[in-house]
Amino acid sequence: MRSPLVVFTMILMAITVPMVAAQKVELSIDASKTGAKIDRNIFGQFAEHLGHGIYEGIWVGPDSKIPNTRGIRNDVVGALKAIKVPNVRWPGGCFADEYHWRKSIGPQRSVTLNPNWGGVTEANTFGTHEFMDFIDQIGAEAYISVNVGSGTPQEAAEWLEYMTAAAPTTLVKERATNGHPAPYKVALLGIGNESWDCGGNMTPDYYVSQMKIYSRFVRNFNPAQQDKEQMLKIAVGPGGDGPRWTDWTETVMKAYQQHTWSWDINGLSMHNYTVVHWPPSYTSVGFGETEYSQILKSTLEMEGLISKHSAIMDKYDPDKKVALIVDEWGGWYAPFPGSNPGFLVQQNSLRDAILAALNLNIFARHADRVRGANIAQMINVLQAMIITDKEKMVLTPTYYVFKMYVPFQDATFVPVTFDAGWYTHGAVAIPRLDAIAAKDANGRLWLEITNLDPNEPVEIEAALAGITAKSASGETLTAPKVDSVNTFDAASTVTPKPISAKVQGGKLTLKLEPKSVTVVSVEQ
Ligand code: AHR
């Protein structure tokens, strides 16, 4: 029998201890210890001629009833402007290595095929001028992937001359006749896409010989891009884990180390999707905690992959002149039931918002080497920002993460240290929390904290050094379920809400909901 004192103590505990006590986690942030600049280009987008990514997603044509400017959807432009898209990679993807730019300029467009993506016809009504108009409308820069697989250096060189030259050549006059006398700016140039696979199944050595030729002859002639704002040339890089990919990086970087005056590269691309295993079989909606935890575990492998390839790059390029550009990343799930499997249609849930935050944080922690990334893809394809259906448009949870992260564009990385332990589910054990901090151009401190645990809230106490913190405010993104989504009929299920944060005695305190992404700014 228990003594009356023990029984009394048990009753008292039951009254005073809440059923679910939020775990307390201490963070420490010293704003005076800054790292590399978080290049705004890590928030880049990817728009391929694939499914409804371009046609219907961006391009509806000038005669459409859907409000548009010169054929480009106004609603989509408005939404993308708000997330300050730094660059858009176009026209592919696998599509790029079968793309012939001449077929999509001028008044007569050729109808071609898109054998990679559903075998549908390609109307070529969205070409160079329409793409440049689109990125101009959203305020982004061009990341053009040229055709190395089935094109020629001459074709690519002429495309660049057509786009960027100012001198009155025949191609420049043709561009003027087609409506654009002034040269276009091309900020980034991709020399092929996945040349180890859909881009031509090349060996690393064969690719390197092609890369040198394209780097030499595919010139940017824009007078404004000669001394300053030079076009960055991005070589094809690895596409996964294992010796095949480390060999690829070794070969390209070894060639770079020995490069001569006649050619150069400024970036090495990397593709890494969160997929667990091929073909993608996880569903994008209608899943539970098991799939949630497995997908997040898989996405965190981005860290090891970047570290591994950065280490190889360090060997050949210790000054980090060549950027690592993760120009395809994101969750890739089973095709949405009823959709054309070649169109890569999937829903976008709260899980994807968390997945996006984890990847962006990994890129930020590697900001000295990772100076670009492009989520796949921008609209209606894979982990999209935006889903459209005729005149309807909905912004996805991933869109809102990109919006919340705008202050991190070009901000200076500030390390955050903490030990939050692990979230476990079945055989999966992943860190409970993830966080980054950065200082913007005005000296304001920004903090992002992701609570991966779908069940437990977390109380944060962040010790702030190096600034005199006065107050803090922010937003948090969460939803009732790990697979909550935004739909045309219920567009605000997963949208950011204000969060209350307190600053006292140099300490910031706030409570994070389970499965949430939170961004807070600290006022001095
Ligand atoms: O994003 C879809 C496809 O994935 C791209 O076209 C290709 O580069 C990659 O394999």
Side-chain angles (χ1 to χ4, degrees), residues 367-389:
D368 57 344
R369 180 67 83 176
V370 178
R371 300 197 287 271
N374 299 74
I375 188 167
Q377 298 192 3
M378 189 159 61
I379 305 162
N380 292 333
V381 178
L382 298 176
Q383 189 173 343
M385 307 296 110
I386 296 175
I387 297 175
T388 65
D389 181 14

Side-chain angles (χ1 to χ4, degrees), residues 188-211:
L188 298 131
L189 182 85
I191 305 177
N193 169 74
E194 298 192 353
S195 303
W196 30 260
D197 194 5
C198 72
N201 223 311
M202 301 172 192
T203 62
D205 287 333
Y206 183 81
Y207 174 72
V208 162
S209 62
Q210 295 294 301
M211 173 187 86

Side-chain angles (χ1 to χ4, degrees), residues 46 48 50 93-95 117 193-194 198 271 273 328 332 344 376-377 382:
F46 174 31
E48 179 166 17
L50 193 176
C94 297
F95 180 83
W117 306 118
N193 169 74
E194 298 192 353
C198 72
H271 290 182
Y273 286 95
E328 284 187 35
W332 189 329
L344 311 187
Q377 298 192 3
L382 298 176

Side-chain angles (χ1 to χ4, degrees), residues 205-391:
D205 287 333
Y206 183 81
Y207 174 72
V208 162
S209 62
Q210 295 294 301
M211 173 187 86
K212 290 179 183 173
I213 294 168
Y214 277 76
S215 166
R216 168 81 184 126
F217 297 113
V218 185
R219 295 186 169 100
N220 184 318
F221 294 100
N222 188 322
Q225 289 193 265
Q226 300 312 303
D227 304 327
K228 290 183 275 171
E229 300 194 61
Q230 281 183 19
M231 179 177 77
L232 305 180
K233 298 178 181 177
I234 317 299
V236 167
D241 203 5
R244 181 182 174 202
W245 307 114
T246 45
D247 279 1
W248 187 281
T249 301
E250 286 272 353
T251 309
V252 176
M253 290 307 296
K254 204 179 213 164
Y256 165 78
Q257 191 188 38
Q258 289 153 14
H259 81 95
T260 61
W261 66 270
S262 62
W263 71 276
D264 198 2
I265 53 167
N266 315 96
L268 180 75
S269 125
M270 181 166 114
H271 290 182
N272 182 43
Y273 286 95
T274 300
V275 68
V276 184
H277 39 67
W278 291 97
S281 58
Y282 281 61
T283 56
S284 58
V285 70
F287 56 85
E289 193 173 341
T290 300
E291 295 86 349
Y292 168 84
S293 58
Q294 287 169 352
I295 285 288
L296 294 191
K297 179 173 187 282
S298 165
T299 218
L300 288 168
E301 287 164 12
M302 180 70 90
E303 168 67 44
L305 211 58
I306 289 178
S307 298
K308 192 182 280 180
H309 289 276
S310 296
I312 300 172
M313 294 175 83
D314 285 349
K315 250 190 341 183
Y316 300 104
D317 172 33
D319 296 336
K320 299 188 194 294
K321 288 191 174 138
V322 179
L324 185 61
I325 310 282
V326 190
D327 54 13
E328 284 187 35
W329 68 274
W332 189 329
Y333 307 122
F336 199 70
S339 67
N340 181 336
F343 284 9
L344 311 187
V345 176
Q346 58 190 46
Q347 245 298 2
N348 194 295
S349 69
L350 175 65
R351 178 181 65 185
D352 295 305
I354 293 174
L355 182 159
L358 295 176
N359 280 282
L360 293 171
N361 290 0
I362 293 169
F363 303 152
R365 279 192 284 270
H366 287 274
D368 57 344
R369 180 67 83 176
V370 178
R371 300 197 287 271
N374 299 74
I375 188 167
Q377 298 192 3
M378 189 159 61
I379 305 162
N380 292 333
V381 178
L382 298 176
Q383 189 173 343
M385 307 296 110
I386 296 175
I387 297 175
T388 65
D389 181 14
K390 300 191 180 66
E391 76 291 350

